[in-house]
Amino acid sequence: MASRALACQTLHELRDLIQQDPTAAEHLLEELLDRIAQLNGRLHAYLAEPDRKRLRQQVREQLKACPNGKLRGIPITVKDNICIQGEETTCASRILQGFRSPYDATVIERLRREGAVLMPRANMDEFAFGSSTENSAFGPTRNPWATDRVPGGSSGGSAAAVAADLAIGALGSDTGGSIRQPASFCGIVGMKPTYGRVSRYGLVAFASSLDQIGPLTKDVTDAAILLSVIAGHDARDSTSAPVEVPDYVSQLNTSVKGLRIGLPKLPEEGLDHEVNDSLAEAVKAFERLGCQTTSVELRQIDKAIATYYIIATAEASSNLARYDGVQYGYRAVGSGLGVEGSGQAQSPEPRTQNALLDMYLTTRTSGFGDEPKRRILLGTYVLSHGYYDAYYLKGMKVRTLIKQDFDEAFKRCDLVVMPTAPSPAFRLGEKIDDPLQMYLSDIYTISANLAGVPAVSIPCGLSKAGLPIGMQLLTAPFREDLLLRAAYAYEQATDWHRRQPGL
Ligand code: GLN
């Protein structure tokens, strides 16, 4: 029998293999490059052609430089909003086309230090605005399980790459569900850590009070390994928390007997019955593992989407103000300032103030896609004089109530269990013209970001149409260890994580 392809194996299996035989890392890269050449045209998980020569060199260098690295020789892909020195970082937006990052994000430094091989760069919704990756300015990613379906978003490229064995693991970012929802649509594990657990230095900001970087992986052990590499305090991100990082991997096997699982009553609008059934089965599996279930109240959860779309758009409109055609990337052709087209912006000498304003206007008009423009409009409106109290301030108050709901719930239980998304992956084009329907895809994920609590999505079923279904576990701040332990116990008792898309 032919031995199992390296590209299809997990990070922890490959780490052990490479430890015994470092040349396995070179074979692994070649397999991945072949698969990318074969499949990326169809899936569009990667935004750029891999630079084979430089990747081969990276493998050789990392094998030598990090003999004991936790990720030695392992290819990890990175969402296009995380800065890698010298690489283009576009957030899948025209307005950043041609921008090359002058420095490494902290998470990238940490991956490098452990011997990872960085595979730039995974497709995403423009500036991480979206739930389907259809908002990428460079074309959508397709779901490896059914290529007429979306992979979820906004980290859809990261999720599709891992699910299709085009990368061994990935980093994504999650502001309202962007790691967990694509993980659930693509049948893999995706975790949003506690706000403050992972440094966001070098992550292009969307909504600074909600954004977190996290891992997307083939199983829970891999998530524990990647999280242990990227977690921890960083003086360069003032929101990063000086909280000790436990050894996630060695605790995975600790029994979950006696853990209290909280089941909230959720808004059922749009909840697919297959998702509901899979979740009910998963809860039974936890009971068989010795967990107790109890009902908990998350009373304000039905207000989470409205609250999120006030706070997130307010912060996004402010964060997007910096894309002016001067500092980064793209400048509109014909903007009257003599520096045209895409590429690194140069300092212009504005002839008149009008020419400068004209340049801002034409650059932003042609550089941003529809969704960033919609968010800028919404965000500017909710922050504007006279509306601030009615919207933003009120949104912040409801956010506090949502957080209090979780504080109360976690007095009564150790974990909350709920669906990750109301349905399995939807079809490309199905929701793109209806922003409200699209926003509802995040109904179950958004409150974790508003409350700052950690949450993980793991595979818990397949629909009749053969599409993955995800379950979400949430817990109290900085208890990722507990999330991973419970997810691991469930994974050991089931085999959903072993199902593969029939590409
Ligand atoms: N889908 C949500 C949005 O469009 C969340 C995106 C995210 O988490 N980056 O804002």
Side-chain angles (χ1 to χ4, degrees), residues 448-467:
N449 302 74
L450 290 169
V453 302
V456 68
S457 176
I458 56 174
C460 75
L462 280 184
S463 71
K464 284 206 187 71
L467 299 168

Side-chain angles (χ1 to χ4, degrees), residues 3 33 89 98 104-105 127-128 152 194 229 239 242 294 320 324 427 450 482 486 490 497 501:
S3 59
L33 290 173
T89 303
D104 272 340
F127 283 105
T194 312
V229 171
T239 65
T294 169
L320 293 184
D324 53 8
R427 289 201 163 74
L450 290 169
L482 199 58
Y490 175 81
H497 65 292

Side-chain angles (χ1 to χ4, degrees), residues 79 128-131 153-154 173-178 206 308-309 375 439 442:
K79 187 173 179 177
F129 303 152
S131 308
S154 61
S173 66
D174 190 313
T175 305
S178 275
F206 161 3
Y308 171 86
Y309 277 97
R375 307 248 173 159
Y439 295 175
D442 304 313

Side-chain angles (χ1 to χ4, degrees), residues 164-406:
D165 299 320
L166 307 183
I168 302 308
L171 294 185
S173 66
D174 190 313
T175 305
S178 275
I179 290 175
R180 290 159 287 157
Q181 185 254 21
S184 90
F185 281 13
C186 291
I188 60 169
V189 175
M191 180 191 259
K192 181 202 90 73
T194 312
Y195 186 76
R197 184 48 114 184
V198 176
S199 167
R200 296 170 310 140
Y201 178 77
L203 169 71
V204 180
F206 161 3
S208 310
S209 76
L210 302 160
D211 300 337
Q212 261 295 283
I213 296 174
L216 294 104
T217 55
K218 300 185 195 185
D219 71 8
V220 174
T221 307
D222 286 4
I225 295 171
L226 261 192
L227 182 66
S228 71
V229 171
I230 61 173
H233 179 245
D234 175 17
R236 292 177 296 188
D237 172 0
S238 61
T239 65
S240 116
V243 177
E244 207 185 315
V245 180
D247 182 344
Y248 298 119
V249 182
S250 71
Q251 294 184 23
L252 287 177
N253 249 322
T254 315
S255 163
V256 294
K257 215 168 170 176
L259 282 189
R260 296 162 305 164
I261 304 246
L263 303 172
K265 177 138 182 45
L266 295 168
E268 280 178 18
E269 198 187 331
L271 177 59
D272 180 285
H273 70 93
E274 289 188 286
V275 173
N276 203 21
D277 294 350
S278 293
L279 198 79
E281 282 305 313
V283 169
K284 283 188 206 151
F286 276 118
E287 282 170 344
R288 286 195 292 277
L289 288 164
C291 300
Q292 295 152 21
T293 51
T294 169
S295 61
V296 290
E297 264 194 289
L298 296 174
R299 264 173 302 166
Q300 308 294 339
I301 201 168
D302 58 332
K303 301 183 187 70
I305 290 203
T307 306
Y308 171 86
Y309 277 97
I310 290 170
I311 295 171
T313 56
E315 294 184 12
S317 68
S318 156
N319 277 324
L320 293 184
R322 60 170 69 92
Y323 305 106
D324 53 8
V326 177
Q327 304 178 74
Y328 313 95
Y330 170 83
R331 176 174 305 156
V333 175
S335 53
L337 287 176
V339 186
E340 299 189 339
S342 64
Q344 205 77 13
Q346 298 163 25
S347 315
E349 282 296 328
R351 282 190 289 272
T352 65
Q353 205 187 351
N354 277 353
L356 182 64
L357 293 178
D358 183 48
M359 190 277 288
Y360 291 157
L361 187 69
T362 40
T363 297
R364 287 169 69 85
T365 302
S366 57
F368 287 128
D370 288 350
E371 191 59 28
K373 284 178 188 154
R374 185 176 295 124
R375 307 248 173 159
I376 292 169
L377 286 171
L378 283 169
T380 309
Y381 179 76
V382 298
L383 288 175
S384 58
H385 183 69
Y387 293 104
Y388 181 93
D389 290 4
Y391 294 108
Y392 189 73
L393 198 65
K394 198 181 236 170
M396 293 300 279
K397 287 179 180 164
V398 179
R399 180 178 190 172
T400 302
L401 295 177
I402 291 173
K403 181 161 185 330
Q404 285 170 358
D405 275 356
F406 278 101

